[in-house]
């Protein structure tokens, strides 16, 4: 009898583990198929918009650290924060029209201020600001309406409001609040973990419906035991919810390349990029990536098997900056034509047509291990014509990035012994002329392949037998 009971319990445990693993694998596959998401950095830093006490600050949304502003003083920004133009429906609709499949919203950034109605910490937008509304509740409704996956960012190893958060980057106490809490050795991460992290993660996973990803940031000094405990909590509350590698200690479902297009993993990975210089809204930001550059980055990331998470920093009034909206709309028009080469696609046998390496200004090792701080951009700056590939079923997609000539020569197609059935140019009904030899595939694009006000990144759909 005891043996039978033991075997039954063992079987039940095995079945539960197998089911949990299947659920996680399905969620990860969906994430990898979505390819394109919107990052939303929004907090008290949007209200100050790059200024403090009459001068321009350093560190963007990290300015509390750079200016060494006491928590009590920094918290007074909340009394001015009343984003009456915030419209979750408009935000999510714009994400969808841009061709994005998910959004990641900053539930709590390094300043420790919760951008939702946290029951475990009064230091939040509902209790401290005149706005009195919960943005995540509104975003959850809009995401459900537009069939967008809601994901939430949470600063894990940095919290400048809490007295128990030691840091070690780039040196001991390098990103700690040492002006309010100067004794670094007296700080015990686990007290913060139990008092704030676990309760808030529980709130986020039980108050807003399905969450696709908990996007943790800056693991800093979290222990392996605490990372495992946090992952188990997430799995218990929402088995379908993924976590990124910044949960710490190897417990992530996918890895991050920040401000870099360099793959951070041979498995699932995501590149998170800004449109301008800063993550949060900054009125002094004036260097913005063009729609062409954004499309190039999306193609390069997807061709390397990754997802692109493109950041927008909404303003203090709750609206997107005009320059961000303009670029999102342009990318959206490009996606309307070429989305089939992005969604559900996979890397082809080769990533790109040539072997020329672009200097990303960041090594592979650095992108894997380092967490970038404040203003940084390691993405390619040079714009030259080149070819990248993705594939799906019996189709190979060739992206002609920044292409100017009607003549195209592809050497990788014949090198990989592809039997071609048909070739067309997405978004163009005119015939593509082509000839395949032992050495190469030569193509002539339609005379009207270049159109005004369209991003010059074109896609050849090569259907094989």
């Amino acid at each position: 009898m005891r043996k039978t009971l033991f075997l039954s319990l063992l079987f039940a445990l095995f079945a539960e583990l197998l089911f949990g693993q299947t659920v996680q694998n399905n969620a990860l596959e969906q994430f990898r198929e979505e390819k394109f998401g919107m990052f939303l950095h929004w907090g008290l830093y949007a209200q100050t918009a790059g200024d403090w006490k009459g001068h321009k600050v350093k560190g963007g949304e990290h300015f509390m650290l750079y200016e060494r502003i006491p928590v009590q003083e920094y918290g007074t920004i909340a009394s001015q924060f009343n984003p009456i133009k915030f419209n979750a429906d408009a935000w999510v609709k714009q994400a969808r029209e841009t061709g994005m499949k998910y959004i990641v919203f900053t539930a709590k950034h390094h300043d420790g201020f919760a951008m939702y109605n946290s029951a475990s910490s009064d230091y939040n937008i509902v209790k401290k600001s005149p706005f009195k509304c919960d943005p995540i509740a509104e975003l959850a409704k809009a995401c459900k309406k537009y069939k967008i996956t809601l994901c939430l960012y949470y600063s894990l190893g940095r919290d400048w409001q809490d007295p128990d958060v030691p840091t070690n980057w780039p040196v001991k106490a390098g990103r700690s609040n040492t002006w309010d809490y100067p004794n670094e050795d007296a700080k015990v991460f686990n007290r913060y973990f139990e008092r704030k992290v676990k309760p808030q993660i529980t709130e986020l996973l039980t108050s807003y419906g399905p969450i696709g990803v908990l996007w943790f940031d800056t693991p800093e000094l979290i222990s392996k035991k605490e990372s495992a405990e946090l992952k188990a909590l997430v799995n218990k509350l929402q088995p379908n919810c993924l976590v990124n590698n910044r949960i710490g200690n190897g417990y992530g479902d996918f890895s991050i390349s920040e401000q870099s297009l360099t793959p951070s993993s041979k498995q699932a990975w995501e590149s998170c990029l800004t449109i301008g210089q800063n993550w949060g809204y900054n009125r002094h930001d004036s260097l913005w990536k063009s729609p062409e550059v954004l499309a190039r980055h999306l193609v390069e990331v997807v061709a390397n098997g990754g997802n692109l998470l493109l950041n927008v920093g909404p303003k203090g009034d709750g609206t997107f900056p005009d320059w961000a909206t303009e670029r999102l709309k342009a990318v959206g028009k490009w996606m309307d034509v070429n989305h089939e080469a992005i969604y559900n696609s996979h890397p082809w046998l080769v990533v790109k047509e040539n072997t020329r390496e672009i200097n990303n200004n960041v090594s592979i090792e650095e992108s894997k291990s380092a967490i970038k701080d404040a203003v940084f951009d390691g993405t390619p700056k040079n714009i030259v014509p080149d070819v990248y590939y993705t594939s799906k079923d019996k189709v190979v997609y060739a992206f002609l990035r920044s292409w100017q000539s009607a003549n195209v020569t592809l050497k990788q197609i014949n090198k990989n012994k592809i039997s071609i059935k048909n070739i067309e140019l997405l978004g163009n009904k005119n015939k593509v002329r082509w000839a395949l030899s032992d050495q190469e595939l030569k193509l002539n694009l339609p005379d009207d392949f270049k159109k005004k006000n369209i991003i010059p990144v074109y896609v050849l759909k090569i259907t094989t037998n």
Side-chain angles (χ1 to χ4, degrees):
M1 182 66 179
R2 287 183 177 178
K3 184 178 180 181
T4 302
L5 179 61
F6 173 75
L7 290 174
S8 297
L9 290 173
L10 189 63
F11 177 78
L13 178 61
F14 176 76
E16 184 178 347
L17 290 172
L18 186 62
F19 173 75
Q21 188 62 51
T22 301
V23 167
Q24 284 282 297
N25 289 341
N26 290 342
L28 186 59
E29 185 59 29
Q30 178 184 327
F31 170 77
R32 299 185 75 171
E33 290 175 353
E34 289 178 339
K35 300 300 181 187
F36 195 18
M38 177 183 284
F39 215 170
L40 290 161
H41 272 73
W42 200 42
L44 297 183
Y45 41 82
Q47 181 64 33
T48 55
D51 291 323
W52 183 251
K53 294 185 176 179
H55 68 272
K56 179 181 176 181
V57 299
K58 293 181 179 180
E61 66 282 351
H62 296 190
F63 78 97
M64 180 183 176
L65 171 72
Y66 283 75
E67 299 286 335
R68 300 176 69 83
I69 305 170
V71 171
Q72 188 172 359
E73 185 179 2
Y74 184 84
T76 62
I77 301 171
S79 64
Q80 310 158 35
F81 191 49
N82 190 22
I84 56 175
K85 294 183 180 180
F86 167 69
N87 186 328
D89 191 277
W91 285 16
V92 178
K93 183 181 180 185
Q94 181 61 73
R96 182 182 179 184
E97 290 177 349
T98 305
M100 293 154 165
K101 295 288 190 177
Y102 61 101
I103 67 169
V104 179
F105 177 76
T106 46
K108 188 203 74 166
H109 207 261
H110 307 328
D111 58 9
F113 189 78
M115 290 295 290
Y116 71 99
N117 190 16
S118 174
S120 58
S121 173
D122 287 347
Y123 197 57
N124 69 69
I125 187 172
V126 176
K127 295 184 175 69
K128 294 295 183 182
S129 82
F131 188 51
K132 302 300 180 187
C133 294
D134 186 332
I136 297 182
E138 297 301 313
L139 287 168
K141 293 177 185 176
C143 284
K144 184 177 181 180
K145 174 182 175 181
Y146 290 106
K147 294 184 170 70
I148 296 290
T149 303
L150 175 63
C151 309
L152 297 174
Y153 166 109
Y154 191 89
S155 177
L156 182 56
R158 297 180 191 173
D159 188 312
W160 300 322
Q161 181 260 342
D162 194 283
D164 274 307
V165 190
T167 63
N168 64 348
W169 191 90
V171 295
K172 180 179 178 179
R175 288 298 179 268
S176 299
N177 181 345
T178 54
W179 51 99
D180 284 309
Y181 316 116
N183 190 346
E184 190 76 358
D185 293 328
K187 297 172 184 177
V188 179
F189 182 89
N190 191 256
R191 290 200 291 253
Y192 154 70
F193 185 70
E194 294 291 337
R195 178 175 58 244
K196 192 170 186 179
V197 175
K198 286 168 65 177
Q200 289 194 328
I201 293 304
T202 299
E203 291 166 1
L204 293 172
L205 292 181
T206 56
S207 302
Y208 303 105
I211 303 300
V213 173
L214 270 178
W215 208 102
F216 291 109
D217 202 4
T218 58
E220 294 280 359
L221 293 173
I222 189 171
S223 69
K224 186 171 185 177
K225 180 176 179 293
E226 289 159 341
S227 293
E229 188 177 345
L230 187 54
K231 183 67 161 68
L233 177 64
V234 174
N235 289 347
K236 176 184 176 182
L237 296 175
Q238 290 206 29
N240 280 304
C241 183
L242 303 174
V243 299
N244 64 350
N245 64 327
R246 292 184 180 179
I247 194 174
N249 299 294
Y251 283 95
D253 298 303
F254 63 94
S255 61
I256 300 297
S257 284
E258 182 170 326
Q259 297 285 51
S260 168
L261 308 185
T262 303
S264 51
S265 169
K266 292 182 179 179
Q267 305 302 320
W269 68 283
E270 179 183 66
S271 170
C272 57
L273 307 177
T274 55
I275 295 177
Q277 293 174 290
N278 297 274
W279 296 98
Y281 174 69
N282 191 310
R283 64 170 55 92
H284 303 291
D285 207 342
S286 60
L287 296 176
W288 309 308
K289 297 177 180 71
S290 68
E292 180 179 355
V293 166
L294 295 176
R296 286 176 62 92
H297 289 353
L298 174 61
V299 168
E300 186 166 340
V301 168
V302 172
N304 279 287
N307 284 25
L308 178 64
L309 183 62
L310 184 62
N311 182 77
V312 176
K315 298 163 66 175
D317 65 2
T319 61
F320 285 1
D322 290 343
W323 52 264
T325 301
E326 175 188 338
R327 284 157 175 77
L328 293 174
K329 288 182 176 179
V331 173
K333 289 182 180 179
W334 183 86
M335 285 291 288
D336 285 343
V337 173
N338 301 296
H339 59 84
E340 71 168 82
I342 299 292
Y343 303 140
N344 306 313
S345 69
H346 306 281
W348 189 47
L349 299 172
V350 293
V351 172
K352 56 186 178 179
E353 178 63 23
N354 55 35
T355 57
R356 179 183 52 81
E357 295 295 331
I358 296 175
N359 178 18
N360 281 9
N361 300 322
V362 57
S363 69
I364 293 177
E365 284 69 28
E366 182 184 6
S367 74
K368 283 183 179 179
S369 62
I371 294 171
K372 307 304 183 298
D373 191 65
V375 180
F376 168 86
D377 187 354
T379 57
K381 306 299 184 295
N382 42 345
I383 301 176
V384 294
D386 55 21
V387 180
Y388 275 75
Y389 293 102
T390 64
S391 63
K392 186 191 305 181
D393 300 324
K394 291 188 175 183
V395 175
V396 177
Y397 297 98
F399 294 83
L400 312 178
R401 302 196 312 170
S402 305
W403 208 259
Q404 299 299 323
S405 172
N407 299 316
V408 181
T409 300
L410 303 178
K411 295 182 180 296
Q412 294 293 344
I413 297 294
N414 194 51
K415 181 179 178 181
N416 286 281
K417 306 301 180 184
I418 300 299
S419 176
I420 298 175
K421 182 178 180 180
N422 184 52
I423 301 178
E424 59 184 293
L425 184 67
L426 294 185
N428 193 306
K429 295 180 180 180
N430 293 319
K431 185 177 180 180
V432 175
R433 297 185 298 277
W434 56 275
L436 185 65
S437 68
D438 291 338
Q439 290 78 34
E440 59 199 12
L441 171 65
K442 282 187 170 292
L443 309 100
N444 292 106
L445 303 180
D447 293 337
D448 63 344
F449 82 95
K450 288 193 288 186
K451 297 180 180 179
K452 292 182 179 179
N453 302 319
I454 296 296
I455 295 172
V457 177
Y458 311 100
V459 183
L460 289 167
K461 181 179 180 179
I462 305 171
T463 304
T464 63
N465 290 306

